[in-house]
Amino acid sequence: MSRPKNQNYKGHGLSKGKEREQRASIRFKTTLMNTLMDVLRNRPGWVEVKDEGEWDFYWCDVSWLRENFDHTYMDEHVRISHFRNHYELTRKNYMVKNLKRFRKQLEREAGKLEAAKCDFFPKTFEMPCEYHLFVEEFRKNPGITWIMKPVARSQGKGIFLFRRLKDIMDWRKGNAGKKLTSLEAQPARSTANPSGSHDARSSDDQKEDIPVENYVAQRYIENPYLIGGRKFDLRVYVLVMSYIPLRAWLYRDGFARFSNTRFTLSSIDDQYVHLTNVAVQKTSPDYHPKKGCKWMLQRFRQYLASKHGPEAVETLFSDMDNIFIRSLQSVQKVIISDKHCFELYGYDILIDQDLKPWLLEVNASPSLTASSQEDYELKTCLLEDTLHVVDMEARLTGREKRVGGFDLMWNDGPVSREEGPPDLSGMGNFVTNTHLGGHLSSSSPALAPSHG
Ligand SMILES: Nc1ncnc2c1ncn2[C@@H]1O[C@H](COP(=O)(O)OP(=O)(O)O)[C@@H](O)[C@H]1O
Ligand SMILES: [Mg+2]
């Protein structure tokens, strides 16, 4: 399916180091009906294309990508919202496989200390193929809690916790359906994917056909940091514009998603206690649509600073930067870096009682549906700023370190907060240009292009 040359594309020559062309209008397409559609429709100069019409910008879903990307011809200026094999990072088993490989490589090349900086994901085994390794590990630590998660689903679907090997044996014999219903999951359809094992990861917005057997068994973090006795995890947004060289932006805003029910380890079957997904929590009888179950990151940061002091918070947030960057580096050489592609990832981070952040998963299609007015505003700004960075309008110089709420975190190396070379502190840790949970209107130079 190749497309004829774009008729609507006029050369005018704006400067961005090289000659840039200015478009009379930008034709966009999307399959998502949520805040994204509002942002795209309100963007000056952008026009919606329906059906088979030609487009310059497509915010597609991952299933479209899998079926069409390989046969779609794209002009130089065209942009699309996923990398071809995004699932290397966004599918739970591949993410762990890539991180384990990267850790080994670091150990070989830079030593144990450097490799230890990748110790931010809980011990994980792919099931059923690593079942025997898992059993070995399980027997070493009797009594601890494990979590089973389907590799390619989202919104807490299909997840269950267990402590006895018997539970997993039942599951292995094909009794997964029983467990799934206990956590209100919809049974997965066991349709094989035509593209083999490397199929795409489902998103917060849609489900995909996946074999029921594909799970990860992961060590359950039994000591989550609690606020008001309740568990939460963080949703943080990272925008990758290129893998080679790695160029990634971190969004200042995000949120903590709380459980409605007080945390306890005595009822491991209660999803309202253990799964912080909004999709799960909003079905809880205690859920108040007005109150919701979210805190913006700024509020969370202030809370922690008042409890533990600013230094502890700085350390926590720089440990999170480490997670974003190392996880991207772990797939840098695996992801097909294509200049037409960008990706807005939603990171799920859990913090434990020692203020250590853990990476739970990375989402290719973080939910863009708003659960409250505040959430609507966050997502609208996030998407507007994403489009500013993608820069279809060719307004940026390419030297910006900040665009709206996005800070350039990595540009083929750490980006310094100040002018000059990057700060390198301590044992090769980097201090990079990030302001997670910082104010959007902070005093650092905002290079946000006007919305007009
Ligand atoms: N290893 C873990 N330890 C503690 N809680 C976890 C762990 N893994 C997942 N969770 C909880 O389950 C939720 C869903 O898990 P996640 O890996 O994000 O899968 P999904 O794709 O269904 O969102 C998380 O938001 C978190 O609340
Ligand atoms: Mg999740």
Side-chain angles (χ1 to χ4, degrees):
M1 191 182 90
S2 75
R3 298 180 305 107
K5 256 212 152 341
N6 187 340
Q7 301 301 312
N8 200 24
Y9 191 59
K10 294 183 190 140
H12 279 301
L14 281 179
S15 69
K16 192 178 176 182
K18 58 183 171 122
E19 201 189 331
R20 291 294 298 252
E21 293 171 282
Q22 198 175 48
R23 289 160 276 288
S25 65
I26 290 153
R27 299 161 303 174
F28 74 86
K29 191 170 170 176
T30 181
T31 47
L32 305 179
M33 286 302 295
N34 48 36
T35 48
L36 177 67
M37 191 55 107
D38 294 350
V39 169
L40 291 169
R41 284 186 178 154
N42 287 330
R43 197 159 176 93
W46 287 44
V47 286
E48 189 174 353
V49 171
K50 294 228 167 85
D51 306 321
E52 295 306 303
E54 273 183 45
W55 40 270
D56 306 302
F57 179 95
Y58 190 6
W59 196 294
C60 65
D61 53 52
V62 292
S63 54
W64 182 90
L65 188 88
R66 191 178 57 223
E67 278 150 34
N68 300 289
F69 186 89
D70 295 339
H71 349 268
T72 303
Y73 168 78
M74 286 185 248
D75 278 343
E76 172 87 18
H77 72 285
V78 165
R79 292 291 176 272
I80 186 163
S81 63
H82 298 284
F83 286 91
R84 173 66 185 90
N85 55 346
H86 63 87
Y87 45 77
E88 292 286 349
L89 183 62
T90 58
R91 215 174 129 154
K92 294 174 178 74
N93 53 340
Y94 291 148
M95 178 187 87
V96 168
K97 179 199 73 182
N98 284 314
L99 280 168
K100 284 181 181 170
R101 196 199 44 232
F102 184 58
R103 185 165 58 187
K104 272 206 192 108
Q105 180 199 330
L106 281 180
E107 186 166 342
R108 267 197 320 272
E109 292 170 3
K112 279 208 157 67
L113 222 60
E114 196 59 23
K117 289 179 190 151
C118 289
D119 291 338
F120 50 70
F121 55 102
K123 204 157 248 168
T124 307
F125 298 90
E126 192 171 344
M127 303 290 251
C129 62
E130 292 183 324
Y131 178 75
H132 295 288
L133 282 175
F134 163 74
V135 170
E136 217 174 281
E137 183 65 30
F138 182 92
R139 295 213 159 108
K140 274 193 224 157
N141 300 286
I144 68 163
T145 313
W146 291 84
I147 185 167
M148 280 284 273
K149 309 195 274 192
V151 296
R153 291 221 251 167
S154 58
Q155 302 186 324
K157 291 191 193 92
I159 295 181
F160 63 94
L161 275 62
F162 68 97
R163 289 196 187 119
R164 298 173 312 172
L165 211 47
K166 187 182 167 301
D167 295 336
I168 213 70
M169 285 168 173
D170 290 349
W171 168 83
R172 204 174 167 226
K173 282 185 207 129
N175 283 352
K178 203 172 73 200
K179 275 290 174 191
L180 292 176
T181 36
S182 78
L183 284 185
E184 271 198 16
Q186 294 160 12
R189 287 160 289 175
S190 48
T191 321
N193 193 303
S195 60
S197 61
H198 279 227
D199 69 335
R201 160 88 166 83
S202 72
S203 69
D204 280 14
D205 295 301
Q206 84 247 256
K207 285 176 274 152
E208 286 189 43
D209 296 338
I210 40 143
V212 75
E213 297 83 13
N214 267 340
Y215 270 65
V216 290
Q218 184 169 77
R219 194 171 172 152
Y220 187 69
I221 306 296
E222 291 183 330
N223 62 336
Y225 191 95
L226 304 177
I227 296 180
R230 293 174 311 152
K231 177 177 172 174
F232 63 89
D233 69 353
L234 304 181
R235 168 54 59 88
V236 181
Y237 300 98
V238 172
L239 174 62
V240 175
M241 294 302 298
S242 147
Y243 272 96
I244 298 189
L246 183 60
R247 197 170 154 82
W249 300 74
L250 179 67
Y251 201 60
R252 292 184 176 204
D253 244 347
F255 46 84
R257 298 173 293 197
F258 283 88
S259 141
N260 283 294
T261 315
R262 288 183 78 82
F263 185 75
T264 166
L265 279 170
S266 56
S267 56
I268 61 168
D269 284 334
D270 189 344
Q271 60 174 346
Y272 298 126
V273 173
H274 299 284
L275 311 188
T276 53
N277 304 75
V278 176
V280 170
Q281 294 298 329
K282 72 179 183 203
T283 66
S284 147
D286 313 320
Y287 182 77
H288 302 286
K290 276 240 167 66
K291 257 172 66 195
C293 51
K294 287 181 180 173
W295 268 20
M296 292 297 125
L297 275 185
Q298 284 170 25
R299 182 173 174 196
F300 171 68
R301 195 175 179 140
Q302 281 161 6
Y303 175 90
L304 279 193
S306 69
K307 282 254 171 196
H308 304 278
E311 269 172 38
V313 176
E314 271 300 318
T315 307
L316 169 64
F317 279 68
S318 86
D319 288 350
M320 285 201 263
D321 292 345
N322 177 65
I323 293 182
F324 306 134
I325 289 159
R326 304 230 181 234
S327 58
L328 295 175
Q329 286 175 329
S330 79
V331 294
Q332 199 189 349
K333 298 206 174 95
V334 181
I335 299 241
I336 301 161
S337 192
D338 181 325
K339 65 172 185 286
H340 298 106
C341 304
F342 68 93
E343 194 137 9
L344 179 65
Y345 295 107
Y347 274 71
D348 287 354
I349 307 270
L350 186 80
I351 292 160
D352 72 14
Q353 285 170 12
D354 304 320
L355 289 185
K356 175 183 164 75
W358 294 91
L359 175 60
L360 298 184
E361 66 154 347
V362 184
N363 292 281
S365 310
S367 169
L368 300 172
T369 307
S371 60
S372 67
Q373 184 58 31
E374 194 177 35
D375 201 37
Y376 181 84
E377 280 157 25
L378 179 147
K379 282 168 181 162
T380 309
C381 292
L382 168 72
L383 289 168
E384 282 173 355
D385 291 343
T386 300
L387 299 184
H388 289 330
V389 176
V390 172
D391 195 29
M392 295 297 294
E393 294 93 348
R395 289 187 296 205
L396 300 183
T397 64
R399 290 184 300 276
E400 290 81 359
K401 283 192 193 176
R402 177 173 175 196
V403 172
F406 278 109
D407 295 297
L408 184 60
M409 153 169 77
W410 199 263
N411 188 15
D412 206 14
V415 178
S416 68
R417 286 188 187 175
E418 317 302 333
E419 285 304 312
D423 311 313
L424 291 169
S425 73
M427 317 279 288
N429 284 328
F430 35 77
V431 176
T432 189
N433 174 42
T434 51
H435 303 268
L436 190 60
H439 286 277
L440 291 183
S441 54
S442 97
S443 55
S444 57
L447 290 159
S450 75
H451 287 221

